[in-house]
């Protein structure tokens, strides 16, 4: 068994990975919330009153916007979190030597 030590990680690569993971999680959450909001809007439209038509139509638009905006926000937050996390890791890795992992030679 060989041991490897991670002394430094590329900040931008970590940020991109976090952004992608955030976008995927945001897409899942955005679709769920968006569908519930659209469903609520459809129920309001079904009421047929003037207030129901206005609120229902607005809810449908908001639901669609949520499906687009939430993944973007999650991706941006993930990117920033990845940048900060990798930067902090690099600072502390200089102090303590990094993380040591054990790898097995497979042939």
């Amino acid at each position: 068994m060989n041991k490897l030590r991670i002394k430094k990680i590329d900040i931008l690569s970590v940020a991109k990975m976090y952004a992608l993971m955030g976008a995927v999680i945001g897409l899942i959450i955005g679709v769920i919330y968006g569908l519930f909001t659209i469903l609520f809007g459809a129920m309001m439209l079904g009421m047929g009153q003037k207030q129901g038509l206005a609120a229902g139509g607005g809810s449908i638009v908001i639901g669609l916007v949520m499906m687009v905006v939430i993944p973007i926000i999650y991706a941006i937050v993930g990117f920033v979190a990845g940048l900060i996390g990798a930067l902090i890791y690099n600072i502390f890795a200089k102090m303590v030597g990094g993380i040591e992992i054990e790898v097995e030679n497979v042939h």
Side-chain angles (χ1 to χ4, degrees):
M1 301 262 178
N2 295 328
K3 291 186 179 184
L4 298 174
R5 186 176 302 266
I6 303 171
K7 293 183 178 182
K8 184 178 180 183
I9 54 178
D10 183 48
I11 295 171
L12 191 57
S13 67
V14 172
K16 289 188 291 186
M17 186 63 107
Y18 272 57
L20 181 60
M21 290 188 296
V24 170
I25 292 169
L27 183 63
I28 294 167
I29 292 170
V31 167
I32 291 169
Y33 279 124
L35 288 176
F36 276 118
T37 305
I38 290 170
L39 181 62
F40 174 74
M43 289 189 302
M44 294 293 284
L45 284 173
M47 294 177 141
Q49 301 171 353
K50 287 184 181 181
Q51 298 92 343
L53 293 175
S59 294
I60 291 172
V61 170
I62 290 171
L64 293 172
V65 169
M66 288 172 72
M67 290 182 188
V68 174
V69 172
I70 290 177
I72 293 170
I73 291 171
Y74 272 58
I76 292 169
V77 170
F79 186 85
V80 172
L83 279 175
I84 293 169
L87 181 64
I88 291 171
Y89 176 84
N90 287 340
I91 290 169
F92 285 115
K94 283 182 183 179
M95 291 181 204
V96 297
I99 295 174
E100 192 172 282
I101 59 173
E102 194 171 293
V103 294
E104 183 178 332
N105 291 334
V106 179
H107 295 284

